[in-house]
Amino acid sequence: MSDSTASAQPLADKAATADKIHSSPSAKQRAILPWIGAFLRPYRWRVVAAIVFLFIGSLAWLSLGQGVRLMVDEGFLADNGARLNEIILLVIAITALSSSAIFCRFYLMTWLGERVSADIRLQVYDHLLKLSPGFYAKLRTGEVISRFTADSTLLQSVVGQSLSMALRASVTVIGGITMMAFTSLKMTGLVLLAVPMVLGPIFFFGRKVRDLSRKSQDKMGDLGAYVDETLHEIHTVQAYSHEDKDRELFNDRIEAIMSAASGRIKYRSILIALVMFLSILAIALVTWVGAHDVMSGNISGGELSAFMFYAVMVAGSVATISEVIGEIQRAAGATERLIELVETPIDIPVVAQPAALPAKVRGELQVQQINFSYNNMQHALEGSADQGRPPSRVIHDLSLHITPGERVALVGASGAGKSTLFELLQRFYVLDSGHIALDGIDIATLCPQTLRQQYALVPQESVIFATSVLENVRYGRLDASEEQVKQACVAARADEFITEFSDGYQTYLGERGVRLSGGQKQRIAIARAILADRPILLLDEATSALDAVSELKVKQALDTLMVGKTTLIIAHRLATVINADRILVMDKGQLVASGTHQELMQSSSLYREFASLQLLTDDGDQLANKPADDLAEKNVS
């Protein structure tokens, strides 16, 4: 079993880390509108066009107020049918102009919403690909997916619709108040007295809605993470009859979401109701004052009608703003979560001018006095949290020199640091001290992608992607032809079961390769490594999931593959270590012995104990004392 402690973090630890990331002040201190504006900048002319059409549409609607005034004063009251017809035609023309402007604005704003959401997803995904496995060991994948999908979708809705509505309503409010002022300064002054009463609830409850929306989104992310975990492990869930408990835990998370949503809904409902009440109250009072002015002859009936038209438009726009403000505040919370992802520091630093590897990499590895602890990685993600806690080192003062083409087996108990060493060689984590060199070049000075292109990895738990056999095998060599893929599969003894599928190499393997047995997955992973043809092989007990017949076939393929390549093998079985040029015995992150099997049987009590307890098969302990040549012959036979 792999001993990488980074990938074995409990769900509770991941939730705690997620909470610490949520509480990070960086995103909240960032201005959200400028961040969104950076994504709108490449489409500035579309933004300008949308704003122009917004103003045209809003001003056209505002001009209808004057049409109402003319209809009353010059049509109804003057009893002038011809003039009334002219005014009606003018109103229809204005309405047509406004409707055309609304079409253009709505199209452009909706397109911008989709485009900005797509660009944000691209940037977030690009950043996620640069974060090391250490980040994902601390933050649940479901939480990341929730931010990546649900939050960006909410932002898309706001940019494409809600923001447009808020801008249109704001223009209408400003324009309506301006037109009201031209009609009657006294009544406009009375309306403006009511503005603070309306704006107060908007700002107060809007902030409450934003905070509660953020909590609701976080709870939703937690739910997504839980669903992701339980459904991916559905076999274990059902095998242990854990459905009732999972249903209970799921219900708890649903209720947590409802609790957070209830507060948001309550404050948003209060906000809308207050704004509507205060707006209509102000209009009613102003109408009462205006009616007295008409009766006293201070203004005409048409002017009062126009004023009331503008007042109703302003009230409706304020109500729209109060309703949309909730959506905008929800989007603000979602945007904060996206900013947090984008601003998560890349924990594997890259030098400004990376070193270059020689054209032909020989595969020499030098490990010089390296020390490593996962606590340092955790501190990098969590800030200064738990800085006083002493680091729990996984690797202690480890030094190795592996020559080009050498086959080296790593043995030791689970937790000895074998898988961690594999990850450090590929620079998935940063060393506490010491350094690792590939062909004499410090890997810290190399571009991580360049470094990792030198390794072909066959993990103990084979990784199969939800695509075809063909695409799975050429995952590490995208330019490989179908014939080259088939040759690799033949060498890995995978072709014999692939050809039995109805679609052959085009067969869809399902999520995580559910259509394959464990041994078949292993052979696909080995074929992938064979096709990649890289100078260094990392084999994490690559034949562990195979039956005896398949193991012999694959081992023969691996023996051919290893010719001329530096090979590191995490071994738990004697058949694997017996053909190694050298065996390294690790214990609690330290190298405690090195040599051939026969040498270690004589010099290392730890190796002898490990060999008798774990390396041997059904042949018994007596096999440990046989000469290496006899064992090798037995293994081949």
Side-chain angles (χ1 to χ4, degrees):
M1 182 177 179
S2 177
D3 58 289
S4 174
T5 55
S7 60
Q9 297 296 329
L11 191 61
D13 289 349
K14 295 185 178 185
T17 300
D19 289 340
K20 290 180 180 180
I21 294 174
H22 291 163
S23 63
S24 171
S26 61
K28 294 182 180 180
Q29 292 171 351
R30 280 285 305 272
I32 291 174
L33 285 178
W35 187 77
I36 297 175
F39 290 95
L40 287 169
R41 196 169 296 120
Y43 316 106
R44 61 178 66 88
W45 293 114
R46 289 178 182 263
V47 174
V48 169
I51 292 175
V52 168
F53 285 120
L54 183 147
F55 273 99
I56 291 174
S58 297
L59 293 176
W61 279 114
L62 287 169
S63 66
L64 288 177
Q66 295 305 307
V68 171
R69 180 182 64 82
L70 293 173
M71 280 194 298
V72 173
D73 286 344
E74 299 182 13
F76 297 145
L77 297 181
D79 196 19
N80 188 337
R83 180 60 175 157
L84 181 61
N85 293 338
E86 293 174 359
I87 296 171
I88 288 295
L89 290 175
L90 177 63
V91 168
I92 292 173
I94 292 173
T95 304
L97 174 64
S98 178
S99 300
S100 301
I102 288 173
F103 165 80
C104 296
R105 171 187 61 81
F106 186 82
Y107 176 84
L108 288 170
M109 291 301 296
T110 304
W111 185 92
L112 286 168
E114 294 280 356
R115 184 69 261 174
V116 166
S117 177
D119 289 348
I120 288 174
R121 285 171 177 159
L122 286 169
Q123 187 183 86
V124 172
Y125 186 68
D126 180 66
H127 188 75
L128 291 175
L129 290 176
K130 297 175 183 176
L131 297 174
S132 78
F135 171 80
Y136 298 99
K138 286 295 176 182
L139 190 65
R140 291 167 293 173
T141 306
E143 167 76 8
V144 177
I145 293 173
S146 172
R147 297 191 190 196
F148 185 71
T149 55
D151 291 359
S152 58
T153 300
L154 180 57
L155 187 59
Q156 166 194 322
S157 172
V158 167
V159 173
Q161 298 178 29
S162 300
L163 190 59
S164 171
M165 292 171 63
L167 289 173
R168 177 176 57 80
S170 299
V171 171
T172 301
V173 168
I174 295 171
I177 291 175
T178 302
M179 297 303 293
M180 288 160 63
F182 279 112
T183 306
S184 172
L185 285 174
K186 184 178 82 169
M187 289 193 295
T188 303
L190 293 173
V191 170
L192 292 178
L193 288 176
V195 169
M197 292 190 301
V198 176
L199 293 180
I202 288 179
F203 288 116
F204 177 77
F205 290 107
R207 184 171 295 277
K208 291 279 189 182
V209 168
R210 174 173 176 169
D211 293 340
L212 290 169
S213 295
R214 172 61 192 267
K215 290 180 181 178
S216 182
Q217 292 294 107
D218 289 341
K219 297 294 183 184
M220 185 63 73
D222 180 55
L223 178 71
Y226 186 76
V227 172
D228 177 70
E229 181 183 49
T230 52
L231 294 186
H232 273 145
E233 308 302 335
I234 190 64
H235 287 101
T236 303
V237 171
Q238 294 178 349
Y240 282 92
S241 302
H242 204 261
E243 295 96 331
D244 291 340
K245 183 61 177 178
D246 281 317
R247 196 175 294 112
E248 177 185 338
L249 293 172
F250 182 82
N251 183 68
D252 291 343
R253 285 165 171 79
I254 288 289
E255 292 306 316
I257 292 173
M258 280 303 303
S259 177
S262 295
R264 171 175 56 82
I265 294 169
K266 179 182 72 174
Y267 283 116
R268 190 175 175 189
S269 301
I270 293 172
L271 170 63
I272 295 172
L274 271 177
V275 169
M276 289 294 292
F277 173 75
L278 293 173
S279 299
I280 299 301
L281 178 63
I283 291 175
L285 293 175
V286 171
T287 303
W288 180 75
V289 172
H292 282 280
D293 284 345
V294 171
M295 288 187 288
S296 62
N298 293 328
I299 60 173
S300 68
E303 289 174 327
L304 177 60
S305 299
F307 187 91
M308 294 310 303
F309 177 85
Y310 293 128
V312 170
M313 286 188 70
V314 168
S317 297
V318 170
T320 299
I321 292 173
S322 66
E323 188 171 351
V324 168
I325 203 76
E327 288 298 316
I328 293 177
Q329 295 293 2
R330 282 186 67 197
T335 305
E336 287 172 358
R337 287 159 47 93
L338 288 169
I339 293 175
E340 283 172 359
L341 275 185
V342 172
E343 293 188 345
T344 300
I346 297 174
D347 43 356
I348 306 298
V350 181
V351 294
Q353 295 183 330
L357 286 170
K360 183 172 178 58
V361 175
R362 296 182 298 117
E364 179 185 17
L365 291 170
Q366 290 176 296
V367 178
Q368 296 185 355
Q369 293 185 314
I370 65 170
N371 290 282
F372 174 73
S373 60
Y374 286 107
N375 279 358
N376 284 349
M377 175 272 294
Q378 183 172 341
H379 291 160
L381 288 174
E382 300 176 4
S384 60
D386 302 324
Q387 290 290 343
R389 183 174 60 192
S392 176
R393 281 192 172 168
V394 182
I395 302 292
H396 303 264
D397 294 321
L398 181 63
S399 295
L400 302 171
H401 181 210
I402 300 170
T403 58
E406 186 177 13
R407 298 185 189 183
V408 177
L410 304 175
V411 300
S414 179
K418 305 183 297 296
S419 293
T420 298
L421 178 59
F422 271 22
E423 292 175 336
L424 293 176
L425 290 173
Q426 298 171 87
R427 203 163 179 248
F428 286 127
Y429 300 100
V430 177
L431 298 170
D432 297 349
S433 61
H435 74 271
I436 300 172
L438 171 60
D439 283 4
I441 301 173
D442 190 339
I443 65 171
T445 65
L446 295 171
C447 172
Q449 279 188 309
T450 301
L451 169 67
R452 293 163 192 162
Q453 286 168 357
Q454 312 313 313
Y455 296 98
L457 173 68
V458 181
Q460 183 179 18
E461 297 181 5
S462 303
V463 176
I464 303 297
F465 297 94
T467 182
S468 67
V469 174
L470 188 71
E471 295 305 319
N472 263 286
V473 175
R474 67 177 172 201
Y475 192 81
R477 187 179 163 192
L478 301 178
D479 60 344
S481 66
E482 185 170 350
E483 183 57 35
Q484 289 171 321
V485 170
K486 289 181 179 179
Q487 290 175 3
C489 290
V490 169
R493 305 303 192 269
D495 180 74
E496 57 191 41
F497 69 81
I498 293 172
T499 53
E500 293 178 359
F501 294 141
S502 57
D503 295 327
Y505 282 81
Q506 301 300 327
T507 300
Y508 175 73
L509 297 181
E511 188 173 9
R512 299 189 179 184
V514 294
R515 299 185 62 181
L516 301 176
S517 68
Q520 290 173 334
K521 291 179 185 178
Q522 203 84 35
R523 281 185 271 177
I524 292 291
I526 292 170
R528 184 186 297 155
I530 291 173
L531 183 66
D533 192 25
R534 293 177 176 180
I536 304 173
L537 294 176
L538 300 178
L539 307 178
D540 189 352
E541 195 55 61
T543 60
S544 62
L546 302 180
D547 56 67
V549 175
S550 297
E551 179 181 357
L552 178 61
K553 293 179 180 179
V554 172
K555 187 178 181 304
Q556 291 170 346
L558 288 175
D559 286 341
T560 303
L561 173 64
M562 289 187 287
V563 173
K565 292 180 172 59
T566 304
T567 307
L568 280 78
I569 311 165
I570 293 178
H572 294 115
R573 301 171 68 175
L574 183 64
T576 306
V577 304
I578 203 67
N579 291 326
D581 299 323
R582 187 159 42 119
I583 302 169
L584 305 178
V585 184
M586 297 185 66
D587 183 41
K588 298 179 180 178
Q590 295 179 305
L591 178 65
V592 296
S594 173
T596 64
H597 168 75
Q598 199 63 33
E599 291 170 348
L600 290 173
M601 289 298 295
Q602 301 297 323
S603 62
S604 173
S605 59
L606 180 63
Y607 180 80
R608 281 197 303 273
E609 179 184 2
F610 188 73
S612 15
L613 292 176
Q614 190 163 353
L615 288 176
L616 296 184
T617 57
D618 295 336
D619 292 297
D621 292 354
Q622 58 181 0
L623 197 59
N625 297 315
K626 287 193 175 184
D629 292 341
D630 292 348
L631 290 170
E633 182 179 350
K634 177 178 180 62
N635 181 58
V636 172
S637 64

